[in-house]
Amino acid sequence: MHIWRISILRLFGAKIGQKNFIYPTCKIWAPWLLETGDVVAIGPGVEIYNPGGVRLGHHSVISQHAFLCGATHDYNSDQFTYIKKEIVLEPYVWICAKAIVLPGVHCMEGSVLGA
C-alpha cells in the first residue's frame, strides 16, 4: 500500500519521487514540507518532524525508528524562542535504525549516520 500512502502525502502537498517506499507506522508532521527523490525508503516507526522542511535525495534510506527533528528552542532566550531549520539528505544517504538527525543537518552524498 505504499502507492496509496504516497498519494495521500501528495494530496497534502508532499513532493514525492518515483518508486518510494513509505511504511505505515511512520509519522510525517508537515507533508507539504517534505521532498523526496526517486527510490527513497522511509521505514517503520520513523518520525519526521519537519517544520523547517526535509529534502531526501534519490536512493536514500531512513531505517526503522529513526527521528529527523527539524526544530528546537533557544534555551538562552527568555522567550525560549522556537528555531526551525531544514534537513537535507543528499543521494545515497543511509540514516540507520534509531539514529537522530537534528535541525540544520546536511548529510553529504553516500554518508551513513548510525546511532
Side-chain angles (χ1 to χ4, degrees):
M1 302 213 21
H2 296 292
I3 294 170
W4 182 83
R5 279 186 288 283
I6 290 167
S7 297
I8 296 296
L9 287 168
R10 285 180 176 148
L11 281 174
F12 282 92
K15 295 176 183 147
I16 308 287
Q18 299 298 312
K19 297 184 182 177
N20 279 221
F21 302 94
I22 300 177
Y23 286 79
T25 56
C26 71
K27 295 178 185 173
I28 300 170
W29 287 91
W32 53 93
L33 295 174
L34 176 66
E35 184 178 332
T36 74
D38 296 335
V39 194
V40 170
I42 300 174
V46 168
E47 188 166 353
I48 298 178
Y49 179 58
N50 58 331
V54 168
R55 287 189 288 142
L56 308 175
H58 64 84
H59 294 86
S60 58
V61 175
I62 305 174
S63 291
Q64 63 271 22
H65 303 288
F67 181 41
L68 278 63
C69 181
T72 187
H73 293 274
D74 181 359
Y75 57 85
N76 290 317
S77 164
D78 292 337
Q79 292 78 33
F80 203 51
T81 308
Y82 185 69
I83 301 168
K84 58 185 180 178
K85 294 184 180 178
E86 182 179 46
I87 294 172
V88 176
L89 276 56
E90 290 189 4
Y92 301 102
V93 168
W94 177 23
I95 305 300
C96 300
K98 296 190 177 184
I100 298 172
V101 179
L102 299 175
V105 167
H106 185 138
C107 295
M108 302 304 286
E109 184 171 341
S111 61
V112 177
L113 183 122

